[in-house]
Amino acid sequence: MPAPERIPAGRVSAPAAGPAAPGKAGHGPDGQTPDGPTPDGRAPDGQAPDGHGPSDKDLIAHGELTALGRIREASNAVLYCSVSHEGRTAHCVYKPVAGEQPLWDFPDGTLAQREVAAYEVSEATGWGLVPPTVLREGPYGEGMCQLWIEPAEDDGGEEGAPPLLALVEDDEPGDGWKAVGSAEVGEGRTALLVHADDERLRRLAVLDAVINNGDRKGGHLLPAPGGRLYAIDHGVTFNVDDKLRTLLWGWAGEPLTEEALDVLARLADALADGAPLATRLAELITPAETDAVRSRIRELRHTGRHPEPSGQWPAIPWPPV
């Protein structure tokens, strides 16, 4: 059994007087658990069976945000907040547009909208891979607000969430794993980076191909109670150029599942002119970017296979975790 590559926990510090310093969304601090699925997978009272029904989205969209701290070690400002509305309170991540760092290949001030667009596409798939995410006003202006996901506990025992990434010293990944590529591990040694052969990750690989995710790192994967998997940090998505960078290359070139092909067909319908998803994306990304989404879906359906690295762009994000 390969040793797991543990996903690092996010770190929360005291709130700053002004907009938060760069931070990173991720694992929650000890003792703080937002509303979500119960450990046995049941949804709390008043929520949808998937744990994130309309009440959650309404809460983060209209609730009062209170900054509790900043989440460090990311390129953009991230605030860890509580949000309260009509007697309900949860925790969330708030990324103000004012805290976004400029990127050479994305228009300034558009990362928050892209995070919301990724959520909308995820919801259209029916897979629910992205936590509820909205665009709203907050303490430091307009920004992205996303429900906080407390990860499944992993104490190394049988009850913990199984690892999704690992480094192995063998040439082959072994049963239950898919190879990504070689990684330097120090002192001139290399190891094989692998990810789990997991249907949740495979669905996410399809979603990433659709939204053209340029930054699918290991730390963006959040196993949650009840066997759920969520993915976060979708700011660098929907570019018109091929930007796909991911750790989930294990299925590259393999046939898509029938489920994935059915989902792609539904997405194509949802993106027809005037259809609900097309109308929503028009509020968040450019017409050219929406057309590029349609084009990627057509290509995936035409080939019937998971995409392979283009060779025109680094295939693996850095740092990978």
Side-chain angles (χ1 to χ4, degrees):
M1 174 69 68
E5 179 77 26
R6 298 297 180 185
I7 299 174
R11 295 186 289 176
V12 178
S13 63
K24 182 178 188 299
H27 294 245
D30 292 343
Q32 299 186 9
T33 304
D35 292 334
T38 58
D40 64 358
R42 292 179 294 105
D45 291 343
Q47 295 188 21
D50 68 356
H52 298 301
S55 60
D56 290 323
K57 189 174 179 181
D58 184 67
L59 173 64
I60 60 173
H62 303 294
E64 181 179 356
L65 287 177
T66 301
L68 302 177
R70 66 182 187 181
I71 308 173
R72 298 176 290 170
E73 297 180 351
S75 56
N76 298 302
V78 183
L79 286 173
Y80 175 66
C81 300
S82 67
V83 58
S84 299
H85 183 57
E86 296 182 349
R88 287 197 60 209
T89 298
H91 294 97
C92 62
V93 167
Y94 162 58
K95 299 182 181 180
V97 172
E100 295 179 5
Q101 298 296 317
L103 298 173
W104 68 269
D105 51 350
F106 285 84
D108 292 350
T110 66
L111 304 189
Q113 292 93 322
R114 295 171 193 277
E115 295 239 34
V116 178
Y119 164 73
E120 297 289 353
V121 174
S122 169
E123 288 297 283
T125 67
W127 289 331
L129 292 167
V130 179
T133 309
V134 300
L135 193 68
R136 59 163 292 171
E137 288 293 321
Y140 303 107
E142 186 178 61
M144 180 278 282
C145 187
Q146 185 175 82
L147 190 69
W148 182 271
I149 300 298
E150 189 73 19
E153 293 183 3
D154 187 355
D155 59 6
E158 293 183 0
E159 298 302 321
L164 299 174
L165 301 171
L167 289 168
V168 297
E169 297 184 357
D170 298 330
D171 294 332
E172 297 296 329
D175 293 341
W177 298 90
K178 305 291 287 187
V180 178
S182 296
E184 295 183 3
V185 293
E187 300 180 352
R189 297 184 301 113
T190 61
L192 186 64
L193 177 63
V194 299
H195 63 69
D197 188 3
D198 185 306
E199 68 174 5
R200 302 169 302 171
L201 291 181
R202 192 165 191 172
R203 290 169 175 169
L204 184 58
V206 175
L207 175 65
D208 283 342
V210 169
I211 67 176
N212 196 16
N213 192 351
D215 195 32
R216 174 59 69 215
K217 297 175 180 176
H220 299 168
L221 307 174
L222 299 182
R228 294 293 302 270
L229 177 71
Y230 294 98
I232 60 172
D233 285 1
H234 296 101
V236 288
T237 50
F238 296 101
N239 202 296
V240 296
D241 298 323
D242 184 3
K243 299 284 187 180
L244 186 59
R245 292 195 304 177
T246 177
L247 291 180
L248 305 181
W249 288 115
W251 297 282
E254 293 187 13
L256 293 165
T257 64
E258 289 299 320
E259 178 196 44
L261 290 171
D262 289 343
V263 165
L264 290 170
R266 292 203 304 271
L267 284 179
D269 291 340
L271 284 167
D273 288 340
L277 182 59
T279 301
R280 180 61 176 136
L281 291 187
E283 302 169 350
L284 300 167
I285 59 177
T286 69
E289 289 167 339
T290 300
D291 285 341
V293 176
R294 296 184 179 109
S295 178
R296 288 190 292 271
I297 291 171
R298 283 196 300 270
E299 180 66 14
L300 288 167
R301 298 179 68 193
H302 173 72
T303 65
R305 294 181 178 275
H306 286 269
E308 299 182 79
S310 67
Q312 305 299 313
W313 179 254
I316 304 293
W318 186 260
V321 177

